[in-house]
Amino acid sequence: MLEFIISKYNFWFYVILMMIGLYAMLAKRNLVKKLIGMNIFQTAIILFYVSIGVKAGKVHVPIIIGGHGTHHAIKAADYLNPLPHVLMLTAIVVSIATTGVALAVLILIYRRYKTLNEDEILAIRQAGRETGA
Amino acid sequence: MAQQFPALIITIPLLAALFTVPLGTLNRRFCYPWLMFIMAAVLSMAIVICGRVITFGPISYHMGGWQPPWGIEYRIDQLNALMLVLISGAGLLGAIYSGPSFKKEIDGRQTLASSLYLLMITGLMGIVITGDLFNIFVFLEIASLSGYGLIASGGNDAPFATFRYIIMGTIGASCYLLGVGYLYISTGSLNLMDLHRLLPELYHSRVILTAGALMLVGIALKMALFPLHAWLPEAYYEAPSAVSGVAAPLYTKVAGYLMIRILYNLFDPGFFTEVFPITTILSWAAVFALLIGSIYAIAQTDLKKMLCYSVIAQVGYIVLGIALANRAGFSGAILTIINEVFTKACIFMATGAIIYRIGDSRIEHLGHLFRRMPITMLAFIVGVFSMIGIPPTCGFFSKLYLIFGCVEAGQWVFIAALLLSTILNVVYFFRVIKVACFEDPQPDYERKEPYPEITMEEAPIGLLLPVVSAAAMILITGLGSHWIMVNLITPIIPAGF
């Protein structure tokens, strides 16, 4: 059991991080904390991708002509793979853009309601709806 | 030149989005004609591509000359050629609509809104055109991020609705990305066609099952499939009219396209019926979506809110058609996508035109609208008929095929649900039509006493033209549905149906 956990420790780490992020997004009432949870969630996936590219002691050339076009799946375990890292560069940019947009939206929310607590915002909106109707 | 269209159709709106900012800084009035010009160019390229696909068969375009499994492949068959035309068509209508709508609702910010609008179209077209799973994720996020920005520019509660959308949308995209990662570690490939070839040997691996489940959950979040729909009604309700008039027809349908690709092009149809019975789960979720969406729609007192819930109900039709996994159901799903794009564009834009004139869209304020805005309301009625499924419109044919699909699958419960939801459609739309035809505006409406002469005050031409063209397209696609079936849908029905 311990062997199983240790040999796949990168997967355990990413799952734990992801669940922390998910918990923050669902359970926290403060919108900034939700946003932080979202960031942790995305980072966990980036960690997962980065960790699958690296293998101890494997130094094969990553792009193998003919190693790919055959009729069965290639043995990903045999070579050091830079592609996940390159993919994650894009994913990091995406996650930064999302964070930027979310922060800008949070500023708008704060200006409108003077609070960032979800319960308080919902109460203000409910009150507004009752007086409006 | 025409060989390069698959690349140009993405790069032109992308670069144009960047050039919009200096152009708009120079003079804000340039944005509107510029937006229309770019969208017209994109639409004509999409039509050329679609024509070539119909005549010569699928196009495979290798980005930068790299061979497919390593490089990014843009693969266009009949399904994405059709989607390209739909997206750019609705995009052009929205661009024409955006002039008066942006001026009324977000005056002073047209430059940035137009730039985001082009980015949104780029993202949606990119999702559809690319054959690379990671590329799909990137375009999904381009489309979503520009959507967040556009929606947040809307009404009073728009930022809060947007924040919820951001959280849900990001969870969806991240689930999809994780699923792609699982596929990548077990096959070493990201190309859709390559994966389709590599996967069958691995169908019993649990990693592949997890990957499929994660990707489907991610897409279900993006397409607001019940019970993951909570973000949608408010976000689309708060968005400016031009944005909801394009986002509502396009986002959920592009996600529906993605679902078709993953279920039937990435995996074999047999995988889901034999190894992993996800189609059963999806079809039940769809049935609940179309009933609960319709029931919520009946409970609304605001026309635009009501339409937002009807988007959720319509997602149910698409997913039901996909999940039936037979010839008629699949055709029905694609016809529903076509029908939905034009119907939702027509109805949402007509509602936007009503808001433009009346100030809000509460149903009790719509009295005598037929005399005040006859052309808008006529187009609205065409849209409503298509939603309900009255014969010459496209909605009739899509529902007919869905029902055939249910018969073929022997699912009598689903037929009952389809018919029930049609009746619910009639209930919530005829309530609006009744008020608009026969009732005086309510006393709290701000006009003086007694009621003044009701004069015709039609929406400006920039709003009217897209509404009327969308209504015309509903009739044209309805009458031409046989041509669409033969040329576009029959060639892409997956083998094994």
Side-chain angles (χ1 to χ4, degrees):
Chain A
M1 185 64 200
L2 195 66
E3 172 71 14
F4 176 64
I5 292 174
I6 289 172
S7 65
K8 303 223 176 359
Y9 70 95
N10 54 338
F11 295 124
W12 288 103
F13 269 115
Y14 108 77
V15 168
I16 290 166
L17 266 182
M18 208 168 128
M19 289 307 115
I20 292 172
L22 197 62
Y23 170 79
M25 272 192 281
L26 297 179
K28 293 292 172 192
R29 307 311 294 169
N30 187 307
L31 298 183
V32 178
K33 287 186 183 164
K34 273 181 194 283
L35 178 61
I36 294 171
M38 188 181 94
N39 262 318
I40 297 175
F41 192 80
Q42 289 174 312
T43 312
I45 292 171
I46 292 171
L47 183 68
F48 159 71
Y49 265 85
V50 169
S51 71
I52 60 175
V54 183
K55 285 129 202 160
K58 300 292 194 296
V59 285
H60 277 291
V61 181
I63 296 176
I64 311 159
I65 304 285
H68 201 84
T70 50
H71 284 289
H72 49 81
I74 49 141
K75 288 207 182 68
D78 278 350
Y79 64 89
L80 203 80
N81 192 351
L83 189 71
H85 302 181
V86 180
L87 297 181
M88 281 312 105
L89 279 181
T90 318
I92 289 168
V93 173
V94 167
S95 107
I96 286 173
T98 317
T99 312
V101 172
L103 284 173
V105 168
L106 283 181
I107 292 172
L108 282 179
I109 293 176
Y110 188 77
R111 279 194 197 143
R112 196 143 295 155
Y113 305 105
K114 299 289 169 228
T115 173
L116 283 174
N117 185 302
E118 195 177 13
D119 293 331
E120 288 171 25
I121 293 173
L122 289 176
I124 293 170
R125 294 182 45 180
Q126 190 63 35
R129 211 169 288 154
E130 272 156 20
T131 51
Chain B
M1 181 67 185
Q3 283 87 343
Q4 304 299 331
F5 276 3
L8 289 177
I9 203 169
I10 302 299
T11 35
I12 286 181
L14 182 64
L15 292 177
L18 302 179
F19 282 118
T20 310
V21 179
L23 200 70
T25 320
L26 217 60
N27 190 335
R28 212 189 297 141
R29 270 174 302 175
F30 290 156
C31 286
Y32 180 41
W34 169 249
L35 195 58
M36 285 195 290
F37 169 69
I38 296 294
M39 284 316 302
V42 169
L43 177 61
S44 39
M45 279 193 287
I47 289 171
V48 171
I49 291 176
C50 189
R52 289 172 65 90
V53 169
I54 290 172
T55 356
F56 304 116
I59 299 172
S60 166
Y61 183 89
H62 304 159
M63 266 292 167
W66 288 88
Q67 288 302 305
W70 302 294
I72 290 169
E73 182 193 16
Y74 280 6
R75 198 185 147 74
I76 310 169
D77 62 11
Q78 281 82 351
L79 182 56
N80 31 15
L82 173 71
M83 290 302 294
L84 285 177
V85 174
L86 290 177
I87 293 168
S88 50
L92 177 62
L93 295 183
I96 299 171
Y97 195 89
S98 75
S101 162
F102 282 172
K103 185 150 180 56
K104 175 107 172 176
E105 289 163 70
I106 49 170
D107 196 21
R109 287 177 285 167
Q110 284 102 327
T111 310
L112 296 175
S114 308
S115 175
L116 281 177
Y117 185 92
L118 283 172
L119 274 179
M120 171 175 89
I121 299 292
T122 313
L124 292 169
M125 306 261 277
I127 297 172
V128 166
I129 204 171
T130 182
D132 180 282
L133 290 181
F134 187 77
N135 216 219
I136 289 178
F137 164 76
V138 176
F139 280 121
L140 203 61
E141 284 304 78
I142 292 178
S144 300
L145 281 168
S146 41
Y148 304 148
L150 284 170
I151 289 171
S153 67
N156 264 335
D157 286 330
F160 188 61
T162 312
F163 188 76
R164 286 188 165 173
Y165 182 18
I166 293 177
I167 295 282
M168 299 304 266
T170 308
I171 296 178
S174 302
C175 283
Y176 174 82
L177 182 61
L178 198 58
V180 173
Y182 279 17
L183 286 184
Y184 185 73
I185 47 175
S186 41
T187 61
S189 180
L190 290 168
N191 184 296
L192 202 78
M193 301 309 285
D194 197 36
L195 277 166
H196 181 77
R197 196 170 50 79
L198 292 171
L199 277 179
E201 299 175 27
L202 301 166
Y203 273 171
H204 288 276
S205 144
R206 267 185 291 178
V207 182
I208 300 295
L209 291 182
T210 318
L214 280 169
M215 287 165 89
L216 283 175
V217 168
I219 288 162
L221 255 166
K222 287 278 184 192
M223 82 188 292
L225 175 63
F226 178 84
L228 308 171
H229 64 278
W231 58 267
L232 186 139
E234 216 180 336
Y236 286 1
Y237 177 69
E238 300 289 349
S241 304
V243 176
S244 54
V246 176
L250 293 181
Y251 275 87
T252 51
K253 281 82 214 173
V254 167
Y257 156 86
L258 217 49
M259 190 173 260
I260 294 177
R261 280 283 183 235
I262 286 175
L263 284 181
Y264 300 132
N265 289 107
L266 182 59
F267 295 100
D268 276 325
F271 176 61
F272 287 103
T273 44
E274 285 154 29
V275 189
F276 189 37
I278 189 84
T279 45
T280 320
I281 302 168
L282 278 179
S283 50
W284 280 101
V287 166
F288 278 107
L290 57 88
L291 291 179
I292 288 174
S294 305
I295 290 168
Y296 268 114
I298 291 177
Q300 302 306 316
T301 53
D302 188 294
L303 178 57
K304 198 171 174 188
K305 209 43 162 298
M306 188 183 99
L307 296 179
C308 294
Y309 280 102
S310 99
V311 172
I312 293 168
Q314 296 295 316
V315 167
Y317 288 103
I318 299 172
V319 175
L320 180 62
I322 299 170
L324 284 171
N326 58 37
R327 208 163 241 280
F330 185 82
S331 318
I334 293 172
L335 276 178
T336 311
I337 290 178
I338 300 171
N339 170 46
E340 264 299 284
V341 168
F342 291 118
T343 310
K344 278 289 176 306
C346 172
I347 295 187
F348 266 89
M349 286 177 182
T351 307
I354 293 168
I355 296 173
Y356 187 90
R357 276 288 175 242
I358 308 225
D360 65 36
S361 58
R362 294 180 66 81
I363 291 173
E364 71 249 33
H365 292 171
L366 303 182
H368 279 313
L369 212 57
F370 268 100
R371 270 194 263 162
R372 298 181 64 188
M373 307 173 75
I375 306 172
T376 313
M377 286 312 285
L378 202 65
F380 185 82
I381 293 278
V382 173
V384 168
F385 280 5
S386 189
M387 291 276 301
I388 296 167
I390 290 173
T393 59
C394 189
F396 169 72
F397 296 100
S398 63
K399 248 176 213 172
L400 193 67
Y401 276 105
L402 284 181
I403 290 175
F404 283 158
C406 295
V407 173
E408 212 175 297
Q411 297 285 7
W412 306 104
V413 186
F414 296 166
I415 299 181
L418 276 174
L419 295 179
L420 183 60
S421 88
T422 305
I423 294 169
L424 296 176
N425 270 337
V426 174
V427 172
Y428 63 75
F429 276 120
F430 273 49
R431 188 179 49 157
V432 178
I433 293 173
K434 181 186 135 231
V435 174
C437 271
F438 304 116
E439 286 183 12
D440 288 327
Q442 289 294 304
D444 71 282
Y445 184 53
E446 80 284 350
R447 294 300 173 98
K448 3 177 206 340
E449 300 283 328
Y451 287 125
E453 275 299 296
I454 292 169
T455 49
M456 203 176 115
E457 31 178 6
E458 198 45 87
I461 185 77
L463 299 186
L464 210 53
L465 187 67
V467 175
V468 173
S469 341
M473 281 311 294
I474 292 171
L475 294 173
I476 293 169
T477 46
L479 295 172
S481 62
H482 180 71
W483 185 89
I484 295 174
M485 275 303 292
V486 171
N487 284 300
L488 291 167
I489 300 183
T490 314
I492 47 167
I493 288 177
F497 273 14

